[in-house]
Amino acid sequence: MEFTRSVLDHSEKNDFIRISDRPPRNDIIFRALLFCLLHNTFALSSQRRQSVPPSDPQTCLQTSSPNFDLLARYKDSPSSTVPVKVIDVNTVPKVTFSVLSSCVTCSSNWAYNTLVNGGILPKSTSNPNLQCVSLSLLEGESPTFVTRQYPPPPYPGYCMTANVIDSTGPLVLAGNGRSDLWSLCPNSTASGRVDVVWSPKENHAHYLKSNCRDVYLERV
């Protein structure tokens, strides 16, 4: 198997490839390794490693929540919001990778999200048999999802916490115990597509930290 484009430089809609037989175990491991290498990480996605210790963790109020969407609210302009959604960014045989993005022109196969025991499972109404799960949440990267017939257990690092901007407002999404590290960053390798990034960092291959805007992700 060979593919040379980064999973973050492709914003076109991809068709899923359905399979009927369980893929070999070594095929799963190889794809996971390749995906992590493309993101310039040094941890296997199966390790589900938390990159930034939650120095001031918020209390998780809910680790499960059915049928919700996400709305990004800018910290520097609380009256301004933009919807965010899971979009597919790369499909290789039998596997599709996705990220969380505010791209308004990108189509999405996922009508809504569910939160189950800390893992996010996007859902498709047109094809309810598709199985998409949260894959990883690393410092400086977009929340990543994978779709395949036999997906790994969802990465369980998400929960809903209190809204710090509006105490009477909707709950907000936290990643690795923090709801205050989300940003929207223009992706310079994907025609400026604005993706959600957790804890942006300097010298990243896909964005400039100075161009990112901090947000909270509200459940709606």
Side-chain angles (χ1 to χ4, degrees):
M1 180 196 69
E2 178 182 2
F3 66 99
T4 58
R5 286 193 295 180
S6 166
V7 296
L8 293 179
D9 65 4
H10 178 57
S11 60
E12 297 177 355
K13 179 179 179 181
N14 294 290
D15 293 326
F16 289 93
I17 300 176
R18 299 184 62 185
I19 57 175
S20 58
D21 297 320
R22 181 185 294 273
R25 178 176 177 80
N26 60 351
D27 176 62
I28 298 175
I29 295 173
F30 176 76
R31 293 180 191 279
L33 283 169
L34 183 57
F35 180 67
C36 289
L37 287 172
L38 287 173
H39 273 274
N40 295 317
T41 64
F42 297 95
L44 296 178
S45 62
S46 60
Q47 290 179 312
R48 307 295 198 272
R49 194 168 67 181
Q50 178 177 309
S51 297
V52 177
S55 58
D56 183 23
Q58 297 172 290
T59 300
C60 284
L61 301 179
Q62 296 178 4
T63 56
S64 295
S65 179
N67 302 16
F68 66 90
D69 294 317
L70 291 170
L71 191 69
R73 186 173 298 278
Y74 292 102
K75 290 183 181 180
D76 59 4
S77 180
S79 62
S80 299
T81 61
V82 60
V84 297
K85 59 188 177 182
V86 175
I87 64 168
D88 304 326
V89 293
N90 206 331
T91 295
V92 295
K94 305 177 183 179
V95 182
T96 294
F97 295 109
S98 309
V99 298
L100 197 60
S101 177
S102 68
C103 178
V104 295
T105 60
C106 299
S107 59
S108 176
N109 287 290
W110 312 107
Y112 60 92
N113 306 296
T114 60
L115 181 67
V116 180
N117 297 325
I120 295 179
L121 287 73
K123 296 296 183 180
S124 171
T125 53
S126 60
N127 192 344
N129 292 324
L130 291 176
Q131 299 186 61
C132 182
V133 300
S134 50
L135 181 64
S136 64
L137 184 63
L138 299 172
E139 179 187 8
E141 304 296 337
S142 295
T144 307
F145 303 83
V146 65
T147 302
R148 62 183 308 147
Q149 186 177 16
Y150 299 102
Y155 173 74
Y158 298 95
C159 69
M160 297 295 176
T161 67
N163 192 318
V164 298
I165 293 181
D166 181 0
S167 60
T168 63
L171 298 181
V172 297
L173 183 69
N176 295 337
R178 300 286 294 271
S179 67
D180 58 343
L181 296 181
W182 300 112
S183 292
L184 292 180
C185 302
N187 189 329
S188 59
T189 63
S191 302
R193 186 187 67 216
V194 181
D195 296 332
V196 175
V197 174
W198 188 75
S199 187
K201 59 184 181 181
E202 300 287 353
N203 303 316
H204 196 278
H206 301 296
Y207 61 82
L208 292 176
K209 184 178 179 181
S210 59
N211 290 339
C212 297
R213 294 181 66 185
D214 295 339
V215 297
Y216 287 102
L217 298 181
E218 296 181 344
R219 181 184 69 182
V220 294

